[in-house]
């Protein structure tokens, strides 16, 4: 997923992820922000944004453990995912759709353009001109080249009644967690996406993260599964691991896998082997 972790404590907690590459077993607490419960977090460049209910809190990170509030905004529902690109934030909102915000606006996130959908948007990924939304239908593609007027240009049914649950992009492909399947979609022509591979999973896996040529899936049995996608048309499982707790969110980068596991806390797994 984009750099976000579900936070279940009463405060926003951020961890020195840069230090984890050298010592992944000892992440350290850098600070917290007492805004109450938060369930979606996104970072990009100097900005951070998190949701406390329907309120968006925009912050920056001047350095060390300091966290500075820049302003507040609101979304029309329960945010499920964030992507930050430059000074623009893309927010998927449960039972509403997608909302795009200008983060450079004085006073807090300023709404640029909404796109409405009732199909339970759950996750999104963004490239330079398109947003890819995993929802109750499957995968939707939006043209966001004009942020004030996001336009749906394609909708792909993934063949699973629950639709898509999570999505990551790599080159011309989108990798989608679709319940009991990992689905690979060709997005070279965003207006005409199509399924090029489908791998059946031994259970229900709604969480997905991509690190280089490995897709990580969480939520089933075993709790964490690694899939080699170096050849996107031939995805195959290469490992699995059981974890304590219940997986709420998942991210991966530089050979490390980060799992937000509810009351069990943040778990860091060395996935380089």
């Amino acid at each position: 997923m984009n750099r976000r972790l579900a936070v279940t404590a009463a405060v926003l907690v951020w961890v020195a992820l840069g230090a984890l590459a050298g010592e992944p077993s000892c992440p350290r607490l850098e600070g917290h922000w007492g805004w109450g419960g938060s369930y979606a977090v996104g970072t990009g460049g100097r900005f951070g944004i998190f949701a406390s209910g329907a309120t968006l809190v925009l912050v920056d990170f001047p350095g060390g453990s300091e966290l500075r509030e820049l302003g507040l905004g609101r979304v029309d529902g329960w945010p499920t995912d964030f992507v930050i690109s430059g000074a623009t934030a893309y927010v998927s909102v449960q039972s509403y759709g997608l909302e795009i915000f200008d983060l450079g606006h004085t006073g807090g996130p300023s709404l640029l353009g909404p796109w409405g959908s009732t199909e339970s948007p759950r996750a999104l990924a963004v490239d330079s001109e398109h947003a890819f939304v995993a929802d109750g239908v499957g995968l939707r593609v939006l043209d966001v080249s004009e942020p004030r007027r996001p336009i749906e240009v394609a909708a792909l049914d993934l063949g699973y009644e629950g639709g898509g649950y999570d999505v990551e992009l790599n080159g011309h492909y989108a990798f989608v967690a679709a319940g009991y399947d990992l689905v690979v979609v060709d997005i070279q022509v965003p207006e005409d996406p199509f399924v090029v591979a489908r791998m059946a999973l031994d259970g229900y896996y709604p969480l997905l993260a991509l690190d280089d040529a490995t897709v990580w899936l969480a939520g089933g049995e075993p709790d964490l599964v690694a899939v080699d996608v170096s050849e996107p048309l031939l995805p195959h499982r290469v490992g699995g691991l059981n974890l304590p707790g219940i997986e709420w969110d998942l991210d991966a980068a530089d050979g490390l896998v980060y799992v937000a596991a509810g009351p069990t806390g943040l778990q860091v797994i060395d996935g380089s082997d």
Side-chain angles (χ1 to χ4, degrees):
M1 308 185 88
N2 56 291
R3 287 278 182 181
R4 63 180 179 85
L5 291 175
V7 180
T8 58
V11 293
L12 172 67
V13 176
W14 68 99
V15 176
L17 297 184
L20 293 177
E23 198 172 2
S25 62
C26 297
R28 68 177 186 271
L29 176 68
E30 284 288 290
H32 69 273
W33 187 257
W35 256 87
S38 179
Y39 294 89
V41 180
T43 63
R46 59 181 285 260
F47 291 117
I49 191 168
F50 67 92
S52 181
T55 299
L56 299 182
V57 183
L58 178 65
V59 299
D60 70 358
F61 308 97
S65 60
E66 185 179 357
L67 183 67
R68 180 171 58 196
E69 180 188 319
L70 299 179
L72 306 178
R74 288 191 67 82
V75 293
D76 293 307
W78 186 272
T80 58
D81 201 2
F82 293 102
V83 172
I84 296 178
S85 178
T88 304
Y90 304 83
V91 185
S92 59
V93 184
Q94 188 176 32
S95 301
Y96 181 81
L98 176 74
E99 295 189 338
I100 303 175
F101 291 85
D102 177 7
L103 301 184
H105 185 269
T106 302
S110 175
L111 180 65
L112 293 173
W115 167 77
S117 171
T118 60
E119 292 296 339
S120 301
R122 297 160 177 149
L124 75 154
V126 177
D127 66 11
S128 58
E129 294 188 346
H130 294 87
F132 299 82
V133 180
D135 68 5
V137 169
L139 184 67
R140 295 182 187 267
V141 185
L142 308 180
D143 183 337
V144 293
S145 57
E146 174 45 68
R148 296 183 184 277
R149 296 181 60 252
I151 300 171
E152 182 177 330
V153 295
L156 180 64
D157 188 332
L158 298 177
Y160 173 66
E161 64 179 10
Y165 287 86
D166 211 343
V167 58
E168 291 276 13
L169 307 180
N170 189 358
H172 296 150
Y173 298 99
F175 299 90
V176 186
Y180 293 86
D181 291 336
L182 169 64
V183 180
V184 184
V185 179
D186 187 313
I187 56 170
Q188 184 166 5
V189 180
E191 296 78 10
D192 186 26
F194 58 94
V195 175
V196 293
R198 180 184 299 271
M199 184 185 120
L201 303 169
D202 296 326
Y204 170 75
Y205 287 86
L207 303 176
L208 180 150
L210 177 67
D211 183 19
D212 194 18
T214 302
V215 164
W216 295 91
L217 296 152
E221 178 65 35
D223 300 291
L224 186 66
V225 168
V227 179
D228 185 332
V229 293
S230 56
E231 296 184 45
L233 305 187
L234 297 171
H236 59 280
R237 175 176 162 171
V238 291
L241 179 67
N242 280 314
L243 303 171
I246 299 174
E247 299 76 35
W248 281 55
D249 206 353
L250 177 69
D251 204 352
D254 303 323
L256 296 177
V257 184
Y258 306 92
V259 182
T264 307
L266 175 68
Q267 299 177 27
V268 185
I269 295 97
D270 183 353
S272 59
D273 295 331

